[in-house]
Every structure is written in structure tokens, then in C-alpha cells.
Amino acid sequence: MNLREFTEAVDIRSGEMTREELQTAFHSLARKVPEESRKEFLEIMDQVKQIHMDKDSSKNAVQMARDQDQAEVKQEYARLRKEFARIQEEEVTFHAEGYEDYSSGCWDSDWAYEYEDPDGIGQAYEEAARLVERCVNDGFYQLALDTFELMTDTEAWVDDGGDNFEIGLDEMINEHLISIDTDALKKSVLYGVYQNTSPQKRPESLYSYMVLPFFHSVKLEEILSMGKEELPDSSRFVEQWIRLLTDKPGDAAGQFLRDAVLYQKSGDEMMEAARKGAKCHPSLLLGVLECFEEKQDTNRQLAFGQEALELVDEKYKIRGQIALCTAQAALKRGDLDLAEECWKKAFESDTNSLNYLRIAAESRDGRAYRQKALKVMESLQPEKEISYGMDRTKELETNHLSQYERAKLLFLLGDFDRVMKKIENVKEGLGWSSHFVRCGVPLFLLLLLNTDTLREGGRYVAREAGFNMGFQVREYEKGTHWTLEAENMDSTDLFWQCFRRWKETLTPKELTDEQAKGYLTVLERLVDLRVRAIVSGQHRAHYGSVAALAAALGEVKESRGEKGAKSRILLGYRETFPRHSSFHQELRAHGMPDTRKSGGKKQ
């Protein structure tokens, strides 16, 4: 139930209650109020009571108190302006000492700082935050916004003994240089903006604040429930807010729009708002579909999903997600034909190996779409490089195909010779992480594995292949029969099942015995190259991965009729590297026979 529905329900019920019933309701509610909110609860009751008192008898006292409060906050604001001027003019600074931080990994370092605040800069920001909250509570909204502007417009200088640099409010919070309740500050500022702006200008004014990264986490429902009383013109504001955001470009505007529509609108209203915003914010269409799915409103999910697919241009990746959400509804209605069409639409708008594997493994005819998939690939432009600082709207991201992704798709389309050429000439056993060989070797080992059961090495290469193909249970299961079955399923197990289904679509001509022997020869050389480079270079963190590769190679050979191949390969590497006991331990973990004396004690 959203905020509007909740408040309307409360108003209706309270209007029908007697005095005694209201007292009972308040007594029950009071028992559930947490200790830190009890004072505010009583203040709200006193405030309501004050409204019904004789205004003339209390007018002078109230006005005198307000005048006194205003004088105090103006005086404090004037003092803080001077403090922030000193900060801006470098009369006071932070001190910092830089150092290399290796906590993120042993090969890369980040430059980090240890800060000191001898001049009390952080205290000035903390006092300003308290003044913002007080001004909002007392109704001095312009002063609250002016104070917050001091905080955001002033950058403090940091003296690091070399070239000084500046840091702003966000960085101070991230570096723990100031202790501020950021959630309370955000809400106080936005509440002040709402109250201090005329209804006509309110949406645009509030947007100018909320688009700042500092406010991105605030939801519309939180804004509407700020303060001790209901915000004026809130219903009118919501309609204006949605109209404003509908044509505002950017991911931030799209997120605000989704929040507003999904929290405040009913089913038909959500669909109408999504239709109007489809061109600029197709993510709202997806949000409405996901809302219907959550509410198990399958009929609307299916009907609106089909409509949404027509509203969004095929070139946008988000259309692929819309297609999968529609496929899920189609399967619930038993319409496998429509589900399969939706899987194809998902691939055509977001062309990747995961979306093709879904078609190949889940369709009734896993080969039927091959030629069309190849045409889709050939029609796509290479992935464009994104220049530094270039704005990129995620919900309007267009479909593209990187060379890495193209190679994975060619493999799934059965063009094995072409893909093998991408890895067979690799001459180095290091540097695989940025090369297709890292994905290609596991894929070919799985391709040649003639068994349904995964052992130690096979499980490793299945996990690696799945990872490099972007295979995740939650992503793959979208729009498939696996949704319930895969809830507690291991990602590697599901990938292997899907990979086996895909292998069943291959014909003997697509993978002949002669081809398999040739591929296996290349794989032997690449695995050996990798093992020798890793172990001789004593890259201990990778001993387990190369032991697993060697084990997988042996398991492939055994599955194709070469008895004892795995043991011979692993024992051979033990003999090649007799002094690398850590590597021996990994070889044993991946199936090498334990030939040590004395019951397995180390030699």
C-alpha cells in the first residue's frame, strides 16, 4: 500500500470513529511508538490541539517566541558565514599525509590519505547541518536553504605538504571528516525546498536539488511523509512532478519517475503514465511490468508486455528485459510459442551469449533460430568506445557487439574452426585475463567432454565458462521454466545443464572426430603453456586454477577413451615441478593419486 492509499484509508476510518474509539486507537498506537520518537509524537498531538485553541489569546506569546527564534538563527547563520568564508579563503585547512594503499589487492595500489583537522573545519559543517534542521523545524525555510548552500558551495583546502587540493561536502562525509546524519539532512533540505517554493515552481525547484548525487537515494514517498504534518498540495505536486519527469532526459529523472508512478498510481494509471514516458524513459515500462509480476497480475503483465515491446525501439537493450518479463507471463499462461518469440526479441535487442543460450537450450527446436541469429550479429556495429566524461544514459543504451562477445556467439552457433583460430596462436601462458583464450579454453574443454557428470576439473571449467559468458541464475532464469526450480540451484550446475542441452543441438558434421582431435591437440599445448608459466613463475594464487585445467584436460581425454589420462597428466606435472609442494597440494585436490608414504604425510 503506497502513502496516498494509506493516508486516505486512515482519514476514512478516523472520520467514522467515536471519541472513545479514537482514544483507544491512540492508546494502542502510543504503545508501539519507539522511545526515540515519543517526544515527536506528543509534539504532533500538542500541535493539533493548539490549532483549535483561541488564536487571539496566544497570538502575542507565539509571535514573541517566533521573533526570538528568528533572531537566534539569523545570528548563528551570520557567524557560520564568517566561518565558511575563512574556510574558502584557506585561513583554515585540513592536513593530510598520502600513502599507497594495497588493501584492494597485491598487484595494484590506490593513493589514500590520513587526515587531521587541527582548525575544526568539520565542526563548522556539523554546526551548519544542525542549523539547517532547526530552521526547517521552526519554519525558517529560506535560511535553511541558505545554510545548506554554504555547505555545498564551500570547498575546504587540504595541505598535503605538496600541491594542495580541495574537497567538498560529499568527500568529507566519505572520508569521515565530519559526523552528520546525512539522511536527516537530505530530508530537512528537501522539506525546506518544498515549503519554500510556490506550487507552480515547486517540481522544477525540487528537481534541481534531487538531481544532485547527494540526494539520489531519497524516494518520493519519503519526501511526502516529511515533517510533522501533511505537505500542502501534495496530490497536485505528484501530478506536476510526473509531468515534469516524463520529458526530462537521464537515468536520475527515470528513477524519480518510476518511484513516483509505482508508489502513487493504480494499475491503469501506471500503464498510461508508462505509455506517455516510453520514448524518454522506457525503464518505466519495465517497472510497471515488474510491478504486475510482483502482484501476480499475469493478465496485465502479458497484455502490457506485448504492448511495451511495440512501444520501445528494437535498438535499445532495455527492450530485451521487457521481452523476458513478457515471456515469464506467457509461460504462466502456457503460451510457449509467445515465450519463444519473446526470447528471440530479447536476443535481437540485447545480443549476447546468455540470451542466445536461452533460445538454444530452452526452445523446442534449439537449432531453428541459428541463421536469424547470425544475421542479427552481422547487422550490429562494433561496440563504441565511451570517452571519459561522456554522459551515458543506461535506460537508452543501444545494442552493440564487442569482439569478445562475438567470439562467444560464434562458438554457440557452431563455428568452431573460426573460434579456435582466435586462441590457437597464443604464445604466452600469462596475460590471459584480457584475452579470449581465458573463455575459449574452458568452452572447448566442455565441448569435447563426453560425459554428463562433472568431476573436479570439469566443474572448474564449467564455472569459468559460465562466468566468462556472464551466466548467472537470476539472469538466465528470466522468462523461462527455471524460475521456480532454479531458486536454490548452484549457478555452475544450471549452466552445465543448459550447456548439455545446447550440445544436443549439434550435428555430427559440426564436430567430427577429426576436428575433435585437432582441437584437443591445441588445448594440450595451451594448458601446458599456462601451467608452466604459472608454476615456474610461482604465481601461487593461481596454482589451483592451473591444476584444475590440467585435471579437466585429463578428464576430457578419459571421456574420449584414453584410460588413466588424468592421473598421468597430473603426476607428470608433479614430476616436472618436484619442489613446488603447494602446487602438489592443488594437484591432489583435483584428483591426482596420493603416492606419498606414511599414510599421506608430506615428504
Side-chain angles (χ1 to χ4, degrees), residues 448-479:
L448 300 181
L449 186 64
N450 276 345
T451 178
D452 292 341
T453 305
L454 292 177
R455 294 160 64 191
E456 298 92 348
R459 187 165 187 81
Y460 168 79
V461 292
R463 184 168 63 250
E464 282 293 293
F467 174 80
N468 285 292
M469 290 183 71
F471 189 94
Q472 296 179 2
V473 171
R474 289 188 177 180
E475 290 301 312
Y476 182 85
E477 69 176 357
K478 290 179 179 177

Side-chain angles (χ1 to χ4, degrees), residues 395-407:
E395 65 177 335
L396 293 179
E397 185 178 357
T398 55
N399 193 17
H400 57 258
L401 195 62
S402 67
Q403 291 301 317
Y404 193 95
E405 195 65 38
R406 187 180 296 274

Side-chain angles (χ1 to χ4, degrees), residues 17 33 86 155 233 248 265 295 312 320-321 449 526:
M17 297 172 76
V33 175
R86 293 179 66 222
E155 292 191 322
D233 300 318
K248 281 278 187 186
K265 297 294 185 180
K295 294 181 178 180
V312 181
Q321 297 180 52
L449 186 64
L526 290 173

Side-chain angles (χ1 to χ4, degrees), residues 225-454:
S225 54
M226 292 174 191
K228 298 177 182 178
E229 59 185 32
E230 187 172 353
L231 291 174
D233 300 318
S234 59
S235 297
R236 176 186 178 187
F237 165 75
V238 170
E239 297 304 321
Q240 293 174 315
W241 182 240
I242 290 174
R243 282 199 298 272
L244 172 72
L245 296 173
T246 296
D247 298 317
K248 281 278 187 186
D251 289 332
Q255 181 61 56
F256 301 152
L257 181 62
R258 289 194 297 278
D259 288 342
V261 171
L262 299 182
Y263 280 121
Q264 296 294 316
K265 297 294 185 180
S266 64
D268 290 339
E269 292 171 334
M270 285 194 298
M271 290 190 291
E272 184 58 32
R275 292 184 187 106
K276 292 179 179 178
K279 184 176 181 180
C280 194
H281 297 295
S283 62
L284 180 55
L285 294 164
L286 178 62
V288 172
L289 285 173
E290 291 173 341
C291 182
F292 289 151
E293 182 177 6
E294 184 179 346
K295 294 181 178 180
Q296 298 185 2
D297 192 344
T298 306
N299 290 335
R300 270 183 169 161
Q301 181 185 349
L302 183 58
F304 191 62
Q306 292 174 277
E307 181 182 348
L309 287 171
E310 298 300 321
L311 291 172
V312 181
D313 195 305
E314 182 180 300
K315 68 180 180 180
Y316 293 123
K317 281 190 171 186
I318 198 168
R319 185 172 178 269
Q321 297 180 52
I322 292 171
L324 294 178
C325 198
T326 307
Q328 190 63 60
L331 288 176
K332 288 180 180 179
R333 285 288 170 264
D335 192 341
L336 186 55
D337 289 334
L338 179 56
E340 290 188 6
E341 284 301 312
C342 288
W343 297 340
K344 295 171 186 176
K345 290 179 186 297
F347 178 79
E348 289 156 12
S349 291
D350 189 3
T351 306
N352 60 58
S353 53
L354 184 69
N355 282 342
Y356 180 77
L357 181 62
R358 184 186 293 107
I359 297 170
E362 307 300 332
S363 297
R364 287 163 292 187
D365 184 351
R367 295 179 57 86
Y369 189 66
R370 277 197 177 191
Q371 292 304 313
K372 180 63 183 298
L374 187 59
K375 290 181 180 179
V376 171
M377 287 174 55
E378 292 173 345
S379 70
L380 292 177
Q381 297 295 322
E383 182 177 16
K384 295 181 180 179
E385 292 187 5
I386 303 299
S387 302
Y388 178 77
M390 181 185 295
D391 289 335
R392 186 172 184 173
T393 303
K394 189 173 182 180
E395 65 177 335
L396 293 179
E397 185 178 357
T398 55
N399 193 17
H400 57 258
L401 195 62
S402 67
Q403 291 301 317
Y404 193 95
E405 195 65 38
R406 187 180 296 274
K408 290 186 286 183
L409 280 168
L410 287 173
F411 179 91
L412 292 177
L413 289 170
D415 197 346
F416 303 127
D417 285 347
R418 188 173 171 186
V419 179
M420 178 55 75
K421 289 180 181 179
K422 295 180 179 294
I423 66 174
E424 63 183 357
N425 294 322
V426 171
K427 304 297 183 184
E428 300 292 335
L430 299 178
W432 281 20
S433 60
S434 58
H435 195 284
F436 178 70
V437 68
R438 178 184 178 184
C439 179
V441 168
L443 283 176
F444 274 101
L445 285 170
L446 289 179
L447 173 68
L448 300 181
L449 186 64
N450 276 345
T451 178
D452 292 341
T453 305
L454 292 177

